[in-house]
Amino acid sequence: TKENYENLDFSKIDRVYLPLILFTKKEFYDITNYFSTHTNLYIYLPTIIKSNYKNLILNSLEDILDKYKIKGFVLSNIGNFELLKDYKDYEFICNYTFNIFNNLTINELPANTITLSPELNKTDLKNFNTNKKTELIVYGRTPLMNSNYCLLGKSNKCYSECDHKCNSTNKYYLKDRLGFLFRIIPDNIQTITTIYNSKITSIEYDGLPIDFARIDILDENISEINDIIKTVLTGKKLEGNQYTNGNFNKEI
């Protein structure tokens, strides 16, 4: 609700990335418009873009850019450069899905900001030296896989009569042999399912040569987001058995 997102501490936020689909739905107009007037707002493109989604982008993009104050785009794969070839006046941010491991890759990509690979460890992260802006995801539930079909549709056999279970308030998980729960979120437009890690990545990034510390939010509430921001601003990590360092302290 408006009362909730108005309580977000925008004084501590440089940028907000919102998924493209939110800009195309009337029920999200208030929140997207509020963000566009209170911070630098970017359109977050999906990792996979099928032909029907590509048409949705091309048909709605001009209207979105006219309706909202947009700073730029978060690109999720190299094909997005071609897709957005007519919008080079906007800032381009290469997402973590580019899996950027070194300075050579950074210098080849025509982007303003580079999201460094979440697979890098602390030593590798200290070796980056580039004139481009870099950001690191220091908090968030990492997507492990983008599956090219709907797991809910497969298990419930509801492909022909989709009742949009993915748009409900229910949460769905895969359970492994150790009992860990991996959140799954289907995309009924593209018939794609994203599978998230069972633990939340939280990294102590103090001392790393990055320009932006990025927080990826899945369904945390405003109070939780504000608390996360407070911790991240100190450069420290969140503590607890629900968090992981990922590859931060491991050899690749």
Side-chain angles (χ1 to χ4, degrees), residues 93-110:
I93 299 171
C94 284
N95 205 0
Y96 74 93
T97 45
F98 278 77
N99 207 29
I100 295 164
F101 261 72
N102 54 58
N103 292 314
L104 291 174
T105 305
I106 289 177
N107 294 332
E108 285 295 323
L109 291 169

Side-chain angles (χ1 to χ4, degrees), residues 185-216:
I185 297 183
D187 176 353
N188 65 295
I189 295 178
Q190 299 205 94
T191 320
I192 290 169
T193 302
T194 303
I195 305 172
Y196 292 86
N197 196 4
S198 60
K199 290 183 179 289
I200 301 170
T201 297
S202 185
I203 294 174
E204 185 173 335
Y205 69 92
D206 192 30
L208 294 178
I210 60 172
D211 297 290
F212 299 101
R214 173 170 152 184
I215 298 170
D216 276 4

Side-chain angles (χ1 to χ4, degrees), residues 202 205 226-238:
S202 185
Y205 69 92
N226 283 332
D227 288 341
I228 293 165
I229 291 172
K230 288 178 183 178
T231 300
V232 168
L233 284 172
T234 68
K236 305 299 181 183
K237 63 180 181 179
L238 285 85

